[in-house]
């Protein structure tokens, strides 16, 4: 089990595979300069834009529903 927090390396297929992120979603974030921050300790994810503004806060369950994580 992964613990801690930090920005998800969306270019690393092992990391995105562990999280179950679809390639299309990771590509969308990368292509738009967005970053995904994961806090496994509190079960939260945040999406940031290229300027560091937080765009969306959600639980991993909410993230899975929005991105169709398996």
């Amino acid at each position: 089990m992964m613990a801690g927090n930090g920005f998800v390396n969306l270019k690393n297929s092992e990391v995105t595979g562990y999280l179950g992120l679809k390639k299309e979603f990771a590509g969308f974030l990368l292509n738009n300069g967005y970053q995904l921050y994961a806090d496994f300790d509190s079960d939260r994810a945040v999406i940031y834009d290229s300027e560091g503004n937080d765009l969306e806060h959600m639980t991993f369950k909410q993230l899975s529903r929005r991105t169709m994580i398996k």
Side-chain angles (χ1 to χ4, degrees), residues 2-22:
M2 203 178 260
N5 54 46
F7 286 99
V8 175
N9 181 351
L10 298 169
K11 294 180 182 178
N12 184 327
S13 60
E14 288 183 32
V15 173
T16 57
Y18 174 82
L19 293 173
L21 298 176
K22 287 189 160 195

Side-chain angles (χ1 to χ4, degrees), residues 14-49:
E14 288 183 32
V15 173
T16 57
Y18 174 82
L19 293 173
L21 298 176
K22 287 189 160 195
K23 282 185 182 181
E24 296 83 6
F25 178 67
F28 170 80
L29 293 175
L30 286 169
N31 292 336
N32 289 287
Y34 297 154
Q35 293 184 316
L36 178 63
Y37 184 85
D39 184 341
F40 292 96
D41 295 331
S42 66
D43 186 38
R44 304 286 300 168
V46 181
I47 295 177
Y48 290 92
D49 67 12

Side-chain angles (χ1 to χ4, degrees), residues 52-63:
N53 300 310
D54 54 332
L55 301 175
E56 188 71 37
H57 292 253
M58 64 197 90
T59 65
F60 288 125
K61 187 173 185 177
Q62 291 169 323
L63 177 66

